[in-house]
Amino acid sequence: MAFSIISLRHLYKICNANTATLHTALRLPIARRSVVQAVQRHYYNTEAHRPKITGSLTNIQSTGGTVQSLTQDGLDNKKLDEEAREEAEEHEKRERAKNRLKLGFALLGVSLTVGMSYFIYDLTRPRYDEQGNIINDEFSNLPFYERIYKLIRRELNYYKKMVQEPSRTKLLPDPLKYPYIQPPYTLVLELTDVLVHPDWTYETGWRFKKRPGIDQFLEAIAPPQFEIVVYTAEQGMTVFPILDILDPNGYIMYRLVRDTTRFVDGHHVKDLDALNRDLSKVIVVDWNEKSTKFHPENTLRLPQWTGDNDDTTLYDLAAFLKTILATNVEDVREVLNYYRQFDNPLEVFKENQRKFLMQQEEEETKAKQESSKVLTSKWKPSFNWNR
């Protein structure tokens, strides 16, 4: 009896579950059922008709993938729109730059045309003297176009000569006359990499470094011993402030800058012929042989100084110049030609000085020995006589 009652209860539950499931299936469309409702529906089914859970998970994953693909497509479309907008802006910028370039070239052409027209007009217009008469030149009787060509050529040659040749025929004034003292020798010094070295750092930027011993050097050879001239291819706006600080005592008598050089083959060459001095008494100290290629016999070429703090070249140079002064050399070119064959002439000079001093010491020692022998020979007969 109890078994029958329990069986009937189970059968009732199964029937009620199937009826509720059928009612729910008929009441709601299949497309609108959620995943939770599907799970609830299959919960009361028997094991034989229950769907596998893997199928439900697969459906969930496929749904998420569809949403993700739609989101990615939206991002791609947005990116394409941004790229198209950037490309359009870049194209517009290029067009504006191209238009500005065309306008600049047009203005340049108009300016050149107006300037050249005024230049030709100024060249060809008549010149009048104080009485109002026209001044004729060597091109006045030529045809118009030939006259323009030769006038322009003359002007170009004038400016070319201004750039290539020294600014004046006499770079230095005439030597001093009595009662003033004219130094017997003229010393021409290069500024860059002989007296100072351009140096650059992040903290200070560009600056010029003094060579060790420069103060003692200038004082040792100061006038009236040597007429000191700084002759360089640097611009005056660079040279003058440096020399004002470098030489507060005024030992440097003259300063010659770029406008006094001769521009040849792309180099600024020092023209000693325009120096207005006797070249047999002129000594040029430089490291660049191209700067003095017209007068190598007057050049003492030193190694280029690169900013070494332990450098002693200026002390040796002062000793070399003082030796020339002490020996009263008639023509310095003979001495400089000898030292021109060496890469470091001051080292050779120091070695020659050392040998000369050793030779002098040997001669003094020999002279002392000979004098002692003479004294001994004079006293020796008297010693024999006393015996």
Side-chain angles (χ1 to χ4, degrees):
M1 187 69 179
F3 177 78
S4 300
I5 292 171
I6 293 170
S7 299
L8 288 172
R9 287 177 179 176
H10 283 291
L11 182 61
Y12 177 76
K13 290 179 180 181
I14 293 170
C15 291
N16 287 338
N18 290 333
T19 304
T21 302
L22 181 62
H23 176 73
T24 304
L26 292 173
R27 187 163 58 95
L28 297 174
I30 296 176
R32 297 184 60 184
R33 284 181 298 171
S34 64
V35 176
V36 178
Q37 291 173 347
V39 172
Q40 291 176 354
R41 182 175 63 82
H42 291 289
Y43 178 76
Y44 295 103
N45 287 345
T46 61
E47 188 68 26
H49 299 284
R50 183 180 296 173
K52 295 182 179 180
I53 191 67
T54 56
S56 299
L57 293 175
T58 304
N59 292 334
I60 293 172
Q61 292 175 357
S62 63
T63 304
T66 304
V67 174
Q68 184 177 4
S69 64
L70 291 174
T71 304
Q72 186 65 31
D73 291 340
L75 293 175
D76 292 340
N77 292 331
K78 184 176 181 181
K79 186 176 181 181
L80 290 174
D81 293 339
E82 291 179 354
E83 290 179 354
R85 185 170 61 255
E86 291 177 357
E87 186 176 356
E89 292 177 355
E90 187 68 24
H91 179 71
E92 186 178 357
K93 289 181 180 178
R94 287 197 298 267
E95 290 296 327
R96 286 199 299 267
K98 188 183 297 184
N99 293 332
R100 286 195 298 267
L101 186 62
K102 291 179 180 179
L103 180 61
F105 277 118
L107 292 176
L108 179 62
V110 172
S111 302
L112 289 177
T113 303
V114 173
M116 185 60 68
S117 301
Y118 178 78
F119 177 70
I120 294 174
Y121 165 75
D122 186 66
L123 281 179
T124 56
R125 68 184 179 86
R127 303 294 194 274
Y128 299 92
D129 57 13
E130 297 179 355
Q131 288 76 26
N133 300 321
I134 297 177
I135 302 175
N136 294 321
D137 56 12
E138 63 272 21
F139 307 127
S140 298
N141 298 325
L142 295 176
F144 179 74
Y145 292 105
E146 185 178 357
R147 184 187 177 196
I148 292 176
Y149 169 74
K150 292 194 174 182
L151 286 173
I152 293 176
R153 184 176 178 180
R154 185 183 67 182
E155 292 296 318
L156 293 177
N157 288 334
Y158 170 76
Y159 288 107
K160 181 180 178 181
K161 182 179 179 181
M162 182 185 297
V163 173
Q164 292 183 344
E165 297 183 2
S167 57
R168 51 191 183 271
T169 56
K170 288 185 179 182
L171 301 181
L172 297 180
D174 294 334
L176 298 175
K177 304 295 183 180
Y178 182 82
Y180 302 102
I181 300 175
Q182 172 66 33
Y185 299 99
T186 299
L187 178 64
V188 179
L189 298 172
E190 170 61 38
L191 178 67
T192 306
D193 294 337
V194 172
L195 300 180
V196 297
H197 175 69
D199 186 30
W200 186 88
T201 60
Y202 285 105
E203 294 80 8
T204 62
W206 281 107
R207 64 176 183 176
F208 286 86
K209 185 177 181 180
K210 289 174 59 174
R211 192 165 192 169
I214 188 171
D215 297 328
Q216 294 81 358
F217 169 73
L218 292 176
E219 185 177 359
I221 62 169
Q225 301 176 85
F226 287 88
E227 181 185 36
I228 305 176
V229 180
V230 168
Y231 196 177
T232 180
E234 300 288 344
Q235 296 284 2
M237 65 179 63
T238 303
V239 175
F240 294 151
I242 294 174
L243 293 182
D244 290 339
I245 299 173
L246 194 67
D247 181 32
N249 297 317
Y251 294 138
I252 299 173
M253 298 178 64
Y254 302 104
R255 305 171 181 183
L256 303 177
V257 292
R258 178 172 295 183
D259 68 301
T260 59
T261 60
R262 187 178 296 274
F263 190 72
V264 180
D265 299 331
H267 298 282
H268 292 276
V269 183
K270 298 173 183 177
D271 189 3
L272 301 185
D273 291 328
L275 207 59
N276 194 26
R277 290 294 183 270
D278 181 10
L279 294 183
S280 65
K281 306 294 182 182
V282 175
I283 303 171
V284 183
V285 179
D286 203 336
W287 59 268
N288 188 359
E289 59 182 356
K290 294 180 180 178
S291 298
T292 57
K293 62 181 181 179
F294 292 159
H295 302 89
E297 66 278 0
N298 287 91
T299 304
L300 180 68
R301 189 165 62 88
L302 302 180
Q304 183 179 6
W305 181 54
T306 57
D308 182 17
N309 292 326
D310 299 327
D311 182 78
T312 59
T313 301
L314 292 182
Y315 296 102
D316 300 332
L317 179 60
F320 176 81
L321 296 172
K322 297 282 277 186
T323 303
I324 290 179
L325 182 65
T327 54
N328 194 19
V329 177
E330 289 293 332
D331 193 343
V332 296
R333 291 173 291 191
E334 298 177 359
V335 179
L336 297 177
N337 274 329
Y338 168 76
Y339 285 102
R340 190 157 55 94
Q341 58 185 322
F342 304 107
D343 294 333
N344 194 338
L346 293 181
E347 290 295 329
V348 179
F349 167 73
K350 289 168 59 177
E351 181 65 22
N352 292 340
Q353 287 293 97
R354 187 185 65 83
K355 291 179 181 180
F356 177 71
L357 292 176
M358 290 181 60
Q359 183 179 357
Q360 275 192 335
E361 290 179 358
E362 292 177 357
E363 291 178 355
E364 289 178 359
T365 304
K366 188 182 294 185
K368 289 181 180 180
Q369 291 176 356
E370 291 179 355
S371 62
S372 62
K373 287 181 181 180
V374 171
L375 291 175
T376 304
S377 63
K378 288 181 178 180
W379 285 98
K380 187 174 181 181
S382 61
F383 292 152
N384 292 333
W385 181 77
N386 290 332
R387 284 184 181 181

